[in-house]
Amino acid sequence: MTRYLVRRAALLVGTLLLASVVLFLLLRLLPGDPANALLSVGATPDQVAAARHQIGTDRPLPAQFGHWLSQLATLHFGDSFVSSLPVGPEIVSRLSVTVPLTLAAFVLAVVVAVPVGFLAAHRAHTWYGALAGLVSQLGIAVPAFWLGLLLVWVFALNLRVLPAGGFPPDGWSSFPDAFRALVLPVVTVAVVMAASLIRYVRSATLDVLGSDHLRTARALGSSFPGAMWRHGVRNAAVPVVSVLGIELATTFLGAVVIESVFALPGLGSMLVRGIAQHDYPVIQGVLFVSTLAVLVVGFLADIAQRLIDPRLRGGIAR
């Protein structure tokens, strides 16, 4: 297991390095000159050249990439081309919105999806089992931004019980206001995520309910709850854990849509602003952190699968 962890960690680092190369090159292929963000309309060629020299885009690409890697080695993402402020502290500040939004929605989705998915499988031939499956399919079909707008229309514009968007200027120092600001975004993300998870939980549970080992345990006298807890939960959890990792990573990456709908100052809005201004350090920093988060989530989900299923650990030992 230790050797596997070392190999997996090395693969994570190598993947992150490769992703940084691809990210760097793709940004340089985008149309537009970041120097124009520093200048007014009608700037002279000399002014454009001076701006490029100021932000370093006049240097050869290998030199720019080497400079960026040296900054990453010290956990410094550079300074914004537009504001000249360090990108790292702003990313940390914005993570205080994106991370709670993602984690709260994830927990809420799991709390809803696991029992509903199990019910949809265990009572598949009843009307409420079929209803759970139908609701799941409808939830998957609903776009997150449309659901967010609908919740704003109901709870903010009509009932006036929750804010339509925004976040307190002093952040979590005003905890009640910050909590209320995240209620609708969290519910929006959780509903869409839960709809997808219900389907996977239902499928995994149906596989377990039809398995030989569960029928054997029941034939030997175990009650259904006892047999399910002792022999079914682990088997059903292995594929679900993999899906949970994917859903968590997807939610983190998809925060740009929800943060735009609810005007939240998270990583998503920071990325949109950086793209609009061709601010390379901002774009690189946000995408690098997002890539790192996705890789770490995948790594942890892989480890969790091997802790749950001894057969996978046996495969590692061989």
Side-chain angles (χ1 to χ4, degrees):
M1 188 67 175
T2 302
R3 285 182 296 177
Y4 169 78
L5 290 176
V6 172
R7 291 198 304 268
R8 197 67 175 77
L11 178 62
L12 187 150
V13 173
T15 304
L16 192 62
L17 180 61
L18 178 62
S20 66
V21 175
V22 173
L23 170 62
F24 178 85
L25 293 177
L26 287 179
L27 280 181
R28 269 63 186 179
L29 293 176
L30 292 177
D33 191 340
N36 292 330
L38 305 178
L39 303 170
S40 58
V41 178
T44 65
D46 290 340
Q47 291 174 324
V48 174
R52 289 173 179 166
H53 180 74
Q54 177 184 341
I55 61 180
T57 56
D58 60 338
R59 292 182 293 175
L61 289 181
Q64 295 182 44
F65 182 69
H67 178 65
W68 186 49
L69 282 185
S70 65
Q71 290 179 324
L72 289 181
T74 59
L75 298 179
H76 178 63
F77 296 101
D79 298 331
S80 168
F81 287 168
V82 178
S83 66
S84 299
L85 297 175
V87 173
E90 185 175 1
I91 288 179
V92 173
S93 173
R94 301 223 175 207
L95 282 173
S96 66
V97 176
T98 301
V99 171
L101 167 62
T102 303
L103 293 182
F106 177 75
V107 172
L108 180 59
V110 171
V111 169
V112 172
V114 171
V116 174
F118 176 81
L119 177 67
H122 184 46
R123 301 297 184 185
H125 301 294
T126 63
W127 67 268
Y128 47 87
L131 179 62
L134 177 62
V135 170
S136 171
Q137 295 299 323
L138 290 176
I140 294 173
V142 173
F145 73 89
W146 185 86
L147 178 60
L149 293 175
L150 178 63
L151 293 178
V152 167
W153 180 74
V154 173
F155 293 99
L157 300 181
N158 287 294
L159 300 180
R160 299 184 182 277
V161 294
L162 291 169
F167 202 74
D170 50 352
W172 289 99
S173 298
S174 300
F175 181 81
D177 293 335
F179 179 84
R180 294 179 71 250
L182 287 185
V183 169
L184 290 183
V186 165
V187 172
T188 301
V189 176
V191 167
V192 176
M193 187 189 302
S196 178
L197 289 178
I198 287 171
R199 183 179 60 176
Y200 289 107
V201 172
R202 179 182 182 275
S203 177
T205 304
L206 285 174
D207 290 341
V208 170
L209 292 176
S211 62
D212 292 336
H213 60 270
L214 190 66
R215 284 197 295 265
T216 301
R218 292 296 308 278
L220 293 176
S222 296
S223 63
F224 175 76
M228 192 66 189
W229 177 256
R230 186 171 300 177
H231 305 286
V233 171
R234 280 195 173 190
N235 290 282
V238 173
V240 172
V241 166
S242 177
V243 173
L244 287 177
I246 295 173
E247 289 290 337
L248 180 58
T250 303
T251 301
F252 185 85
L253 292 177
V256 57
V257 177
I258 298 304
E259 289 174 0
S260 298
V261 171
F262 292 97
L264 295 174
L267 281 185
S269 56
M270 183 179 179
L271 178 62
V272 171
R273 187 200 67 194
I275 293 174
Q277 298 174 338
H278 292 86
D279 199 338
Y280 287 169
V282 170
I283 302 173
Q284 290 174 168
V286 173
L287 292 182
F288 181 84
V289 170
S290 300
T291 303
L292 177 61
V294 170
L295 292 175
V296 170
V297 168
F299 175 76
L300 295 178
D302 202 16
I303 298 303
Q305 284 182 301
R306 280 153 178 78
L307 293 177
I308 293 171
D309 193 344
R311 296 172 297 180
L312 297 178
R313 297 200 297 271
I316 294 172
R318 289 193 297 272

